[in-house]
Amino acid sequence: AQTIHQWPVAEIKAVGSPLSLGCTIKGKSSPNLYWYWQATGGTLQQLFYSITVGQVESVVQLNLSASRPKDDQFILSTEKLLLSHSGFYLCAWSSRDWGNYAEQFFGPGTRLTVL
Amino acid sequence: GDQVKQSPSALSLQEGTNSALRCNFSIATTTVQWFLQNPRGSLMNLFYLVPGTKENGRLKSTFNSKESYSTLHIRDAQLEDSGTYFCAAPTGGNNKLTFGQGTVLSVIP
């Protein structure tokens, strides 16, 4: 069975400080990986997706960047946090075999508070 | 405009009653996903649908691609059904899943 792990569970950071959030998926080779952001009380918005190591496509920038250093790992980062970065960040995966319309499965999320 | 519109935005149900949530699409889509987000934030996959109907316990979902809508029926609502229900559909060619605004469901004793 596939498992998806996100770290940290929660972060409280200062405006202007750097950020790195991680996501690892186990039990699935060559997955498509995604980052989503959710404002408190809001809906989910896709930020980035990646279909393979070293390749990341931006959907919505929000002054964030993403990298895929390994097949099973997806990293979200920024050098300077803004207040507007606060929210809930979710990582998701889907099977590459099913293309654009594959079912997506989500990790437990990281709650970020920027002060 | 919103490509995925959910209704109602909030709903309060007496335990043991039935209800339906709806998702309307302004773009053509071939699949729909329904999720339940619990208070901790975890998203649970409820259904992944191509046009047609699926049932799982007290939940049933229908996707009508010709009329561009999907429904989620909850039968015999229980307290643990409380949470935020989202529908989502792939839009564009970037594996992009677009979510509706969600329906906050409260089941009361």
Side-chain angles (χ1 to χ4, degrees), chain B residues 34-89:
Chain B
W34 282 93
F35 301 90
L36 170 59
Q37 188 171 40
N38 67 22
R40 284 192 325 273
S42 296
L43 271 178
M44 182 190 323
N45 287 45
L46 298 176
F47 292 103
Y48 172 71
L49 291 160
V50 294
T53 298
K54 280 189 178 178
E55 199 162 347
N56 184 5
R58 295 179 293 102
L59 300 180
K60 183 169 81 172
S61 185
T62 297
F63 173 35
N64 184 324
S65 58
K66 288 182 182 174
E67 296 184 24
S68 299
Y69 75 89
S70 178
T71 55
L72 176 67
H73 294 265
I74 302 171
R75 176 174 55 81
D76 184 25
Q78 301 297 305
L79 297 176
E80 61 263 28
D81 295 333
S82 295
T84 304
Y85 290 79
F86 288 100
C87 63

Side-chain angles (χ1 to χ4, degrees), chain A residues 14-20 63-65 77-82 85:
Chain A
V15 168
S17 63
L19 174 77
S20 182
N63 291 304
L64 296 166
S65 60
S77 60
T78 183
E79 292 186 3
K80 268 191 174 183
L81 278 166
L82 307 172
H85 286 137

Side-chain angles (χ1 to χ4, degrees), chain B residues 3-8 20-26 32-34 62-64 67-72 86-89 98-101 103:
Chain B
Q3 294 178 312
V4 181
K5 277 191 174 176
Q6 277 186 254
S7 60
L21 313 181
R22 185 163 171 123
C23 194
N24 289 311
F25 310 105
S26 62
V32 174
Q33 283 193 246
W34 282 93
T62 297
F63 173 35
N64 184 324
E67 296 184 24
S68 299
Y69 75 89
S70 178
T71 55
L72 176 67
F86 288 100
C87 63
T98 298
F99 281 73
Q101 292 301 312
T103 295

Side-chain angles (χ1 to χ4, degrees), chain A residues 3 12 20 40 45 56 75 77 82 90 95 98-100 111 114:
Chain A
T3 58
I12 299 175
S20 182
T40 302
Q45 187 175 21
V56 176
I75 306 295
S77 60
L82 307 172
L90 293 119
S95 174
W98 292 92
N100 285 348
R111 196 162 300 279
V114 182

